Amino acid sequence: MQFNFTQIIKKFYNFSFNLVPTNLVNHKLSKRNDDIQHFCKVNFGVTFPVMAKANVRGENVMPVFKYMTEQQGFKGFPESDMTEMLTGHLQANFPEYLEGDSIKWNFTKFLINKKGEVVERFEPMVAPEEMESAIEKLLAE
């Protein structure tokens, strides 16, 4: 699953985007943050901040991810052509990931307002362009 964030970033140029790399899936992500920065820019055209690699679930979860998942818990995966495949993969390989409200997979996205409140959570199969109406609504507030 790979998304192109370029269009949504261009449309919402005054909106803040941040990417937090994690070893959640394959545990093969480089240990060096400058390698991660370079990889994201070269392979995905990322122009927004790429944070240092972080733990997004488990005992050493980064506090901001603990907060975000407490504010917007897991409500299930939306219907998509990826839902059955991802659910099956998690059940077979990482059944513990399906428990509770923690991050389930890469590309889980959170929408946070100016007050720091987590207003919406988007699961991995939600493409950036599917988030546009929620961003527009938030910017109108």
Side-chain angles (χ1 to χ4, degrees):
M1 187 173 338
Q2 203 174 96
F3 294 123
N4 182 345
F5 288 90
T6 307
Q7 291 303 108
I8 199 166
I9 290 168
K10 284 180 182 175
K11 181 172 183 175
F12 299 107
Y13 61 90
N14 60 345
F15 196 76
S16 177
F17 292 87
N18 291 289
L19 173 68
V20 181
T22 178
N23 272 344
L24 182 62
V25 178
N26 61 15
H27 306 285
K28 294 180 183 176
L29 193 61
S30 171
K31 290 184 168 105
R32 295 182 35 176
N33 285 317
D34 56 338
D35 290 342
I36 296 168
Q37 302 281 330
H38 179 75
F39 178 84
C40 291
K41 286 180 176 136
V42 169
N43 292 291
F44 302 111
V46 170
T47 58
F48 53 89
V50 177
M51 313 299 270
K53 185 171 58 171
N55 291 319
V56 298
R57 57 175 295 122
E59 289 180 19
N60 299 317
V61 63
M62 188 177 192
V64 70
F65 282 94
K66 185 175 189 316
Y67 170 75
M68 290 189 299
T69 56
E70 287 172 349
Q71 298 300 305
Q72 288 291 324
F74 181 64
K75 298 176 181 85
F77 292 125
E79 287 298 318
S80 85
D81 57 345
M82 298 297 296
T83 301
E84 186 177 330
M85 183 278 306
L86 180 55
T87 302
H89 179 73
L90 291 174
Q91 287 171 338
N93 299 289
F94 306 101
E96 68 278 10
Y97 282 19
L98 292 169
E99 298 172 10
D101 289 326
S102 63
I103 303 286
K104 307 302 177 203
W105 199 250
N106 288 339
F107 294 102
T108 300
K109 300 158 283 296
F110 293 90
L111 188 57
I112 302 170
N113 68 17
K114 293 177 184 177
K115 299 177 201 171
E117 300 164 330
V118 184
V119 296
E120 198 155 350
R121 173 178 175 159
F122 300 94
E123 295 305 329
M125 58 283 299
V126 176
E129 55 272 10
E130 295 176 71
M131 300 165 42
E132 286 186 21
S133 62
I135 294 171
E136 289 169 342
K137 181 181 174 188
L138 189 62
L139 290 173
E141 291 179 358

